[in-house]
Amino acid sequence: MSAWTPLNTCVYGTLSADGTLTGMLATGTPIYYMQAPDNATYPYVVFSWQSGTDDNETPRRSKDMLLWARAHCSVGPAQAGSIDARMDTLLNGVTLTVSGWNNFWTAREQDISFVDTLQDNNKVWTAGGIYRIRICE
Amino acid sequence: MANYSGSAANTDWIYSGGTVALDGDFRNFSYNTGIEIINTTAGADADATHIVGVKSGQFAAELVQQVGGTAIDTALQVGTQGTLEYSPEGTAVGKRKFTIPATVTSFALSQPYNDIVSVSAGFERNGSHTLGTN
């Protein structure tokens, strides 16, 4: 079966359930899949999938996914880094609960940070990481 | 003519403890057979000659290990004797099947830090195999 929905539910649930993380973000639960809504209030978190492959190396189905989770902030890079650090705690080396699948490997592989200058010359700092998530049925 | 892929395989290991399916999490099966050659070249022979000796066979299985349970580990302990039923194309009626009496001669567990744990087992054929169909 496709793993998109259970994976997204898992990542959103893992991040949104952590009061420390949500306390670092704007009011509400500004954790978004793929893209934040227009005019979303900073800081917020966006996650998406860089890639996903089926291993196809045994009869049992297994997947190798790359998750990109990042924080977007308007205050400065330190704030983005702090939020990223919290996400790292929640995602690196843990066993995630993915409905219908078993998670046997979750580990951060890359760090990514950059800054965007908006049309109004305000800046948005981003910090995040790429996590390899491997699951099998 | 039609090709088929390795995923079609069905392999059971039948031993005193029961029957264990080896194909549920297999990565690779291999079955090698050979025959001993006895050199009879002598004197001024211009060409080598031989007579044939005994036949032998080795089967190998590489499996991904699953959490919990020891059924496969127990069944594949070295020295265990039984019969392999190896159906490369699966078990549909008429598909080829090797029946191989064998002894487990090696069992290896590979545990890389950042990859799946797998086990490999080697079998030495004990007698002749039967090539038939399902």
Side-chain angles (χ1 to χ4, degrees):
Chain A
M1 69 176 185
S2 170
W4 287 129
T5 298
L7 279 169
N8 290 334
T9 301
C10 165
V11 173
Y12 181 83
T14 299
L15 298 179
S16 64
D18 184 65
T20 302
L21 175 64
T22 57
M24 301 166 82
L25 306 177
T27 55
T29 309
I31 298 170
Y32 305 111
Y33 175 47
M34 288 191 182
Q35 187 177 43
D38 291 344
N39 301 316
T41 303
Y42 297 104
Y44 57 75
V45 163
V46 176
F47 68 92
S48 56
W49 300 94
Q50 293 295 94
S51 75
T53 58
D54 267 75
D55 293 327
N56 289 322
E57 62 176 8
T58 77
R60 189 185 305 275
R61 194 169 187 186
S62 61
K63 285 180 168 290
D64 189 334
M65 313 293 292
L66 289 178
L67 169 73
W68 182 22
R70 66 272 193 189
H72 297 281
C73 303
S74 58
V75 175
Q79 184 185 43
S82 296
I83 297 170
D84 172 58
R86 185 60 192 168
M87 289 195 288
D88 181 274
T89 298
L90 297 171
L91 295 173
N92 184 46
V94 302
T95 301
L96 299 169
T97 301
V98 184
S99 178
W101 298 80
N102 297 299
N103 172 222
F104 60 89
W105 178 255
T106 300
R108 184 166 176 139
E109 292 195 350
Q110 295 180 45
D111 301 339
I112 299 175
S113 67
F114 54 89
V115 61
D116 288 312
T117 301
L118 306 181
Q119 287 185 332
D120 59 6
N121 283 327
N122 287 319
K123 295 185 185 303
V124 176
W125 285 268
T126 297
I130 303 286
Y131 300 83
R132 186 174 300 278
I133 298 175
R134 300 186 67 184
I135 56 176
C136 68
E137 287 185 331
Chain B
M1 298 292 287
N3 300 336
Y4 68 102
S5 69
S7 64
N10 181 282
T11 302
D12 291 333
W13 171 235
I14 304 163
Y15 77 114
S16 59
T19 299
V20 175
L22 300 181
D23 50 84
D25 292 289
F26 87 99
R27 275 179 166 166
N28 190 62
F29 292 134
S30 63
Y31 182 42
N32 300 306
T33 60
I35 190 167
E36 185 177 331
I37 293 295
I38 301 170
N39 194 325
T40 54
T41 310
D45 286 353
D47 295 284
T49 59
H50 66 260
I51 58 175
V52 295
V54 297
K55 300 172 185 173
S56 63
Q58 296 81 37
F59 188 89
E62 182 184 355
L63 320 172
V64 170
Q65 195 170 57
Q66 298 300 311
V67 297
T70 58
I72 288 183
D73 302 44
T74 300
L76 298 182
Q77 290 304 295
V78 293
T80 303
Q81 293 191 305
T83 302
L84 286 161
E85 289 191 343
Y86 172 41
S87 303
E89 293 182 79
T91 56
V93 174
K95 298 297 185 184
R96 65 173 69 92
K97 178 173 77 173
F98 291 92
T99 302
I100 310 164
T103 301
V104 179
T105 54
S106 66
F107 176 83
L109 197 152
S110 174
Q111 186 154 1
Y113 173 76
N114 66 345
D115 205 347
I116 291 171
V117 175
S118 62
V119 295
S120 300
F123 300 80
E124 183 72 28
R125 198 175 79 194
N126 183 16
S128 62
H129 71 217
T130 301
L131 176 56
T133 57
N134 282 284

